[in-house]
Amino acid sequence: GTCAGDLRVRFLAGHHAPLAVENPRQVSAYRYPSSYGPRAPTFSRAALADLGAGEVALFVSGTASIVGHETQHPGDVRAQTLETLNNLRAVLAAAQPRCNAPLALADLLPCIYVRHLQDQAVVQPLLDAAWGAQSLAARSAVYVQADICRADLLVEVEGHITCQGHLLP
């Protein structure tokens, strides 16, 4: 869904399955109603993985302005960005009890998708304010103009955090 450039595919592989993390503000994707398509998506909102050597990673799936299963704030990129931040915070809070290391929004290595290139001028200052203009998240953020999974979504954020620690049972 990009305007130009090469297709790039990323994948992860490991010896152990990651621990799925759901967002308490959202319906699990696999429970979406059939109005979104003939089959429900099969992804978790995030996943915790023990990387070994005392390091843990949280992989955050594409997160957008969705509460329950419904898009919030259609047509308002500012409000959608703020709702997306609420969802990112909720995912980090849901993952935290299973990880003995702190998970901070400022440590996210994010990729931000905007439907309309001009919306980056609205989205970026809001995100920078939320995670800190000098944070790792702000310094490493990648912005991409792309289609997003729903026509009424204007912004989506995915990313990962790695930190020292281990998964708790």
Side-chain angles (χ1 to χ4, degrees), residues 143-166:
Y143 286 82
V144 178
Q145 184 280 318
D147 287 340
I148 300 174
C149 64
R150 296 183 186 181
D152 55 1
L153 289 173
L154 303 173
V155 62
E156 182 178 75
V157 178
E158 68 181 18
H160 69 277
I161 297 171
T162 57
C163 55
Q164 296 299 307
H166 61 272

Side-chain angles (χ1 to χ4, degrees), residues 6-66:
D6 297 332
L7 171 67
R8 295 184 185 191
V9 178
R10 297 180 187 180
F11 70 94
L12 300 171
H15 294 287
H16 305 285
L19 176 66
V21 176
E22 291 297 335
N23 180 344
R25 301 182 77 229
Q26 297 178 314
V27 172
S28 296
Y30 59 87
R31 294 182 188 255
Y32 273 12
S34 60
S35 59
Y36 292 103
R39 290 183 308 180
T42 55
F43 67 90
S44 62
R45 303 297 174 179
L48 278 166
D50 188 339
L51 300 178
E55 197 169 35
V56 173
L58 176 67
F59 299 98
V60 180
S61 300
T63 302
S65 180
I66 298 170

Side-chain angles (χ1 to χ4, degrees), residues 13-154:
H15 294 287
H16 305 285
L19 176 66
V21 176
E22 291 297 335
N23 180 344
R25 301 182 77 229
Q26 297 178 314
V27 172
S28 296
Y30 59 87
R31 294 182 188 255
Y32 273 12
S34 60
S35 59
Y36 292 103
R39 290 183 308 180
T42 55
F43 67 90
S44 62
R45 303 297 174 179
L48 278 166
D50 188 339
L51 300 178
E55 197 169 35
V56 173
L58 176 67
F59 299 98
V60 180
S61 300
T63 302
S65 180
I66 298 170
V67 176
H69 62 80
E70 297 178 342
T71 298
Q72 304 296 302
H73 319 291
D76 186 341
V77 72
R78 184 181 190 288
Q80 282 195 11
T81 302
L82 296 174
E83 196 71 62
T84 299
L85 283 163
N86 290 336
N87 281 325
L88 288 168
R89 289 182 188 104
V91 167
L92 267 61
Q96 190 64 66
R98 298 300 309 268
C99 181
N100 78 331
L103 298 170
L105 195 57
D107 296 328
L108 184 70
L109 296 172
C111 184
I112 301 98
Y113 301 95
V114 292
R115 180 171 298 281
H116 308 292
L117 189 57
Q118 68 271 18
D119 286 346
Q120 182 178 345
V122 175
V123 172
Q124 188 168 356
L126 293 170
L127 294 177
D128 285 352
W131 47 47
Q134 300 306 313
S135 68
L136 178 61
R139 292 189 326 266
S140 64
V142 174
Y143 286 82
V144 178
Q145 184 280 318
D147 287 340
I148 300 174
C149 64
R150 296 183 186 181
D152 55 1
L153 289 173
L154 303 173

